[in-house]
Amino acid sequence: MENLPETKLQFPAGFLLGAASAAHQVEGNNIHSDWWEYEQKGRLPKSGEACDHYNRYEEDFGLAQEIGLNAMRISIEWARIEPEAGKWNAQAIEHYKKVLISMKEHGLTRVVTLWHWTLPKWFADQGGFENKQGVEAFARFAWFVAQNLGREIDLWITLNEPEVYVLSSYKQGVHPPFEKSIYLSWRVTENLIEAHKAAYKAIKEALGNVPVGLAKNSAYYAPYRKNNPADRLATYIARALDGYLLEKIQNQLDFIGLNYYFYNSIKFDWRTGYKEMNGNFNEAERTNKDMSEYSDMGWFLYPEGIYYVLKNLKKFHKPIYITENGLADSVDSRRPKFLRETFKALMNALKDGVDLKGYLHWTLTDNYEWHNGFGPRFGLIEMDYVSQQRKIRPSAAIFKEIKIS
């Protein structure tokens, strides 16, 4: 691994420095969810016991503390809390209460997501967020969690990446319910917007003035030809469309959660229209690429892009947390440089007046990466899925280089 100089960075007092995860990807045996059902039918890779985080959360939070983290983002699995419509699982509530208390005991600020893509099977069978009733059901779930766990949660995230969910589930059709429908894409998007608003209201009614936000995936958009008017206009439109969701909910938003992974270079061709020339590639093209600039998933690595996205989000006048950012890197060869360059970009954003409050890396441990299964390795901690052994990767040492004061 390349020897790099220590990062000389100092973040403001109170800055959150942590990692993120999602229940279905780490807990294991999420048997009442729509994903589990499709896994058993062979439509998706089986998640099985995943990282067994449901039973090993103490160990994982201990490792987070050991590598110098002061925060964790987790999600609470709706399918465990409400395995049948209107029937609440007291045992699941008690479990998550223990999880949240353990986080606090390990010195971790508790950032909690209510919905990270998986749905209770009964809810999916009723159409999920395709229906207005789905908005009401989600708001009821948010209220119930607030009533029972609210005092153990520091920051609330209602929804994770609504647009990516719609893209994967209703445009590309690679995630449940495997639809390809323009109409359903629009309807689900609008219902997710209303679901956030309803959950925001429910949490506030239950707990008062607690911080509630949303995790939004935003790419960095740049013109493919910097001086080409058509490319510049197409880039402007792409950025405007990316801000649609936040525009719709900005009055029900205490902070913005930013998930940043992608650089999209925009080229406009008068014959074929808008194109994203982002440099990403598929497995068949791997041998022709310089892998130092790409993740194991073929995603082009452009850490400095996070600076420009943060500057663009400044217009909303909200505190911002990086709620996800990372790369698949099984041999840990690119992660050190990626992290150092990312942290430098964050420092520059702070110097330029961005109200940045924290950084949560994706992810703490390797995990089940949705339809890609257990192949991609995003973790600061390496997983052996057979033995469930955890091993801290060398890149994790970077977090201890950072001073917060």
Side-chain angles (χ1 to χ4, degrees):
M1 187 170 63
E2 181 184 0
N3 291 321
L4 294 170
E6 281 195 2
T7 307
K8 303 296 185 182
L9 292 178
Q10 181 171 316
F11 288 102
F15 191 86
L16 300 188
L17 192 64
S21 66
H24 188 78
Q25 294 180 262
V26 296
E27 287 182 344
N29 298 311
N30 184 22
I31 63 174
H32 297 295
S33 72
D34 60 337
W35 269 77
W36 185 268
E37 180 186 27
Y38 281 112
E39 289 170 22
Q40 308 319 303
K41 292 178 178 178
R43 295 290 301 273
L44 294 162
K46 289 187 177 181
S47 58
E49 64 177 3
C51 306
D52 195 28
H53 176 76
Y54 194 85
N55 297 305
R56 298 172 185 255
Y57 61 88
E58 290 269 9
E59 179 183 359
D60 289 338
F61 298 151
L63 289 169
Q65 186 179 37
E66 181 181 339
I67 64 176
L69 306 186
N70 65 18
M72 272 295 298
R73 177 188 171 202
I74 66 167
S75 71
I76 287 178
E77 182 55 55
W78 185 1
R80 295 188 191 275
I81 301 292
E82 192 179 8
E84 298 180 52
K87 294 184 179 179
W88 308 102
N89 187 328
Q91 186 178 0
I93 285 289
E94 286 304 307
H95 168 78
Y96 282 114
K97 187 174 291 184
K98 291 177 182 177
V99 169
L100 292 164
I101 291 171
S102 175
M103 291 172 75
K104 186 175 183 179
E105 290 174 346
H106 285 93
L108 302 170
T109 295
R110 299 163 295 186
V111 184
V112 173
T113 308
L114 290 176
W115 175 74
H116 202 123
W117 293 359
T118 50
L119 304 174
K121 184 180 179 302
W122 64 265
F123 182 72
D125 289 344
Q126 293 178 4
F129 289 110
E130 296 172 23
N131 306 315
K132 285 292 184 184
Q133 293 90 332
V135 173
E136 298 169 8
F138 182 67
R140 184 184 66 209
F141 166 62
W143 181 89
F144 185 82
V145 173
Q147 286 287 339
N148 288 275
L149 297 174
R151 300 303 171 189
E152 300 296 340
I153 295 173
D154 300 310
L155 283 89
W156 294 76
I157 294 173
T158 56
L159 308 174
N160 179 73
E161 298 183 344
E163 296 124 313
V164 178
Y165 172 76
V166 171
L167 174 68
S168 300
S169 298
Y170 290 95
K171 291 181 181 177
Q172 296 174 339
V174 295
H175 288 183
F178 303 102
E179 296 283 354
K180 292 183 180 181
S181 166
I182 294 174
Y183 171 67
L184 285 177
S185 296
W186 169 80
R187 189 162 77 179
V188 172
T189 297
E190 295 303 309
N191 284 339
L192 284 169
I193 288 169
E194 294 307 311
H196 165 79
K197 291 179 178 179
Y200 181 93
K201 181 181 178 182
I203 295 165
K204 296 288 187 175
E205 287 178 349
L207 296 172
N209 191 29
V210 296
V212 181
L214 175 141
K216 167 77 171 66
N217 186 302
S218 287
Y220 170 54
Y221 296 96
Y224 181 71
R225 298 162 293 186
K226 291 183 179 180
N227 297 318
N228 182 282
D231 287 7
R232 292 172 68 89
L233 177 61
T235 300
Y236 174 83
I237 294 170
R239 289 174 181 170
L241 291 172
D242 185 69
Y244 172 78
L245 178 74
L246 296 178
E247 294 279 359
K248 297 284 283 187
I249 65 170
Q250 59 184 317
N251 293 329
Q252 296 84 24
L253 198 65
D254 301 324
F255 66 87
I256 296 170
L258 168 63
N259 295 0
Y260 172 75
Y261 293 100
F262 298 110
Y263 165 85
N264 289 337
S265 183
I266 306 300
K267 182 178 182 180
F268 188 85
D269 186 300
W270 294 107
R271 294 165 296 177
T272 58
Y274 159 101
K275 291 182 180 179
E276 292 185 2
M277 311 289 288
N278 57 16
N280 298 342
F281 65 92
N282 60 37
E283 188 70 27
E285 300 170 308
R286 181 179 298 274
T287 55
N288 299 321
K289 298 289 183 179
D290 175 6
M291 282 305 295
S292 67
E293 296 184 357
Y294 296 85
S295 77
D296 291 348
M297 294 183 73
W299 298 355
F300 181 63
L301 302 176
Y302 192 69
E304 55 264 50
I306 201 168
Y307 165 83
Y308 301 104
V309 177
L310 286 168
K311 287 276 287 182
N312 188 49
L313 291 175
K314 188 179 174 183
K315 65 188 177 187
F316 290 101
H317 304 289
K318 306 283 184 182
I320 303 170
Y321 295 86
I322 309 302
T323 41
E324 286 185 33
N325 171 251
L327 71 160
D329 180 14
S330 61
V331 297
D332 209 37
S333 61
R334 287 146 288 173
R335 194 174 287 109
K337 181 181 178 183
F338 177 88
L339 282 169
R340 290 188 171 96
E341 291 182 356
T342 296
F343 291 142
K344 289 175 184 175
L346 300 186
M347 284 298 299
N348 288 334
L350 281 164
K351 289 175 184 176
D352 287 349
V354 174
D355 190 12
L356 180 63
K357 299 294 189 182
Y359 173 87
L360 304 174
H361 188 73
W362 186 268
T363 176
L364 181 66
T365 62
D366 295 333
N367 61 26
Y368 174 81
E369 281 296 332
W370 304 113
H371 66 289
N372 291 298
F374 291 106
R377 300 281 182 154
F378 279 85
L380 296 171
I381 296 168
E382 181 181 354
M383 282 292 306
D384 182 324
Y385 293 110
V386 176
S387 67
Q388 290 294 344
Q389 293 297 304
R390 279 94 160 125
K391 181 181 178 182
I392 296 173
R393 288 195 166 101
S395 59
I398 293 169
F399 285 86
K400 282 193 173 180
E401 297 175 10
I402 299 169
K403 294 179 174 61
I404 299 176
S405 61

